[in-house]
Amino acid sequence: MAQLVNGYLLFWPGSPGNIKIEDLSQSSNLRIMSNERAYGWDFMEFKSNIPLDNEDHGILSPPYLYKIMCRRSGPRVLLLSTGKKIVDVLIEKEINTTLSPNLRPAHLKINDLVHLIVKSPDRYLLTSVYCRTPAYGADLQSLSMFGDDVGNAELFREIMDRMTAYRCGLGRLRDRKEIVRLGSDGAISFFWENERRAKEVESTLNYLKNNNLIETDWNEVLK
């Protein structure tokens, strides 16, 4: 059954080499789930004394356990879970208290990505676009657009040069099914289903890397 997962693309600045799962799991609140490693992904269990995923206090009691999905490549890592707050707390309160230098989110050039896809839709299309609209001042500060192919809409093409996109959804060109949503702050969300979906998400990140749309030292294709 598909499950929505949220998290970040991060990098380890000044890393002496490949980041290891042991580097990420030094906290006593993290446990490597070694028996669940699959198609290049690692899984960890995160133990928290406070609820992070809208749990009912009257039914559940601490500790609260959360599954963490992790994909590593060189000094870069994807960290995902069933809620963005889980990953925020995981990074700030657990991983970055034991890892030095700290993990940092990658900057994704979403506005450039949107323009690239509109002009050259060879692999992907836009299923959603979130934009700031500085050209309109305080009268109109932001816009959100959704559809099967936002970049193909005449209205969007007419106004896109007066907007700055900071988040978007990417879908497959062949069947218009959304693959992943990406944010300029490195945020990533998608429906975790199977190996094919995991590989599709990795492929979209490689597409960004190959088009110089990731601002880190991301120089290797995910393997």
Side-chain angles (χ1 to χ4, degrees):
M1 182 171 140
Q3 185 174 40
L4 181 65
V5 294
N6 300 268
Y8 298 94
L9 171 63
L10 306 115
F11 70 104
W12 193 16
S15 167
N18 297 340
I19 191 166
K20 302 179 177 62
I21 190 64
E22 290 78 13
D23 296 322
L24 302 171
S25 58
Q26 297 177 59
S27 167
S28 60
N29 291 321
L30 284 166
R31 179 178 68 87
I32 301 171
M33 303 170 70
S34 56
N35 61 322
E36 290 199 28
R37 193 173 195 276
Y39 35 90
W41 288 72
D42 297 295
F43 300 89
M44 297 184 289
E45 184 180 76
F46 172 32
K47 180 173 64 177
S48 172
N49 288 323
I50 59 173
L52 302 173
D53 201 22
N54 300 314
E55 290 89 350
D56 188 332
H57 296 208
I59 298 176
L60 299 176
S61 58
Y64 302 93
L65 303 178
Y66 305 104
K67 188 173 184 178
I68 306 298
M69 296 81 164
C70 173
R71 180 67 167 95
R72 298 172 291 111
S73 179
R76 298 155 296 278
V77 60
L78 284 174
L79 287 176
L80 305 163
S81 190
T82 52
K84 186 171 175 288
K85 184 178 180 181
I86 298 169
V87 182
D88 286 335
V89 172
L90 171 71
I91 296 168
E92 180 182 355
K93 302 296 186 182
E94 304 295 338
I95 294 177
N96 277 350
T97 61
T98 59
L99 188 66
S100 181
N102 288 173
L103 291 179
R104 297 179 185 174
H107 173 68
L108 307 183
K109 300 178 183 178
I110 298 299
N111 194 57
D112 292 345
L113 172 63
V114 167
H115 280 255
L116 174 63
I117 291 176
V118 170
K119 294 173 182 176
S120 305
D122 59 335
R123 291 180 59 182
Y124 302 109
L125 49 75
L126 297 167
T127 56
S128 62
V129 181
Y130 298 75
C131 301
R132 298 184 181 92
T133 55
Y136 298 96
D139 292 338
L140 180 63
Q141 298 181 18
S142 64
L143 281 174
S144 301
M145 300 186 181
F146 305 86
D148 288 342
D149 188 353
V150 174
N152 194 44
E154 183 179 352
L155 173 62
F156 181 77
R157 289 172 174 265
E158 289 176 353
I159 64 176
M160 63 180 289
D161 289 333
R162 299 194 293 275
M163 303 185 299
T164 302
Y166 62 90
R167 187 180 179 191
C168 71
L170 296 186
R172 294 189 294 261
L173 190 63
R174 65 179 184 273
D175 62 8
R176 301 190 173 195
K177 297 294 185 181
E178 185 172 88
I179 301 169
V180 64
R181 293 192 179 188
L182 305 167
S184 59
D185 60 351
I188 293 180
S189 65
F190 63 95
F191 280 94
W192 180 278
E193 294 180 88
N194 48 36
E195 180 178 3
R196 187 182 73 173
R197 175 52 58 87
K199 296 299 182 184
E200 280 187 318
V201 171
E202 293 174 17
S203 182
T204 62
L205 294 177
N206 287 329
Y207 177 82
L208 267 66
K209 174 261 176 185
N210 292 334
N211 286 284
N212 299 312
L213 298 173
I214 302 177
E215 287 189 342
T216 66
D217 56 345
W218 184 289
N219 291 320
E220 299 177 7
V221 173
L222 285 169
K223 299 178 181 177

